[in-house]
Amino acid sequence: MKTQTFTLHTDRQGYYNITAAVKKCVSDAGVQSGLCVVFCPHTTAAITINENTDPDVQHDLVLGMDSAFPDRAGFRHDEGNSNAHLKCMNVGASETLLIEDGQVLLGTWQGVYFAEFDGPRTRQYFVKVLSDD
């Protein structure tokens, strides 16, 4: 299957549930068993899997990441977003999901998220579905 490209408009920070788009790519590909790779081509945003039920979790993730990676006066990067680069590096640029019986294997409470650390921006992410066949 050809790599699918998605565009997303983000706020300053936040987690955007992209699970439905990922599942649609798998469904459209008709793959029964394989892998689905979701990739973020940015250095201040990421892809992650986390809880998809309680929206307070997303709020808490932003708060926790800000606490773990605060903006510091000693940072030298001209754009002033070094903490966003650190968050991205910690979370990661991609997730690989298993596909069985035509379905993405996720836990009961799991969803796939695009994590924005330096918005507002217009972002892209890519989804590639690979078959075992």
Side-chain angles (χ1 to χ4, degrees):
M1 178 184 166
K2 183 178 177 199
T3 301
Q4 299 294 305
T5 303
F6 294 87
T7 301
L8 184 64
H9 302 285
T10 65
D11 293 325
R12 190 178 82 78
Q13 289 191 83
Y15 292 81
Y16 298 84
N17 191 333
I18 59 172
T19 309
V22 171
K23 286 182 174 181
K24 184 171 182 340
C25 286
V26 170
S27 176
D28 290 351
V31 170
Q32 291 302 301
S33 180
L35 298 173
C36 177
V37 179
V38 185
F39 176 74
C40 172
H42 305 288
T43 60
T44 57
I47 302 294
T48 190
I49 295 173
N50 214 300
E51 182 175 327
N52 68 353
T53 304
D54 183 354
D56 287 339
V57 170
Q58 296 168 33
H59 170 271
D60 295 349
L61 291 173
V62 170
L63 188 66
M65 291 296 269
D66 281 346
S67 177
F69 301 100
D71 192 15
R72 298 177 188 263
F75 285 153
R76 294 183 180 180
H77 184 42
D78 285 342
E79 290 183 39
N81 60 357
S82 289
N83 62 332
H85 288 286
L86 288 165
K87 292 172 187 177
C88 172
M89 193 171 73
N90 182 267
V91 175
S94 68
E95 290 286 350
T96 302
L97 305 162
L98 301 175
I99 302 167
E100 284 301 329
D101 299 321
Q103 303 294 314
V104 175
L105 296 183
L106 287 169
T108 302
W109 310 111
Q110 288 183 321
V112 184
Y113 287 88
F114 184 96
E116 173 62 73
F117 303 122
D118 189 36
R121 304 246 187 203
T122 298
R123 300 289 200 172
Q124 288 187 323
Y125 65 93
F126 304 111
V127 178
K128 179 76 171 185
V129 179
L130 305 163
S131 176
D132 286 347
D133 299 332

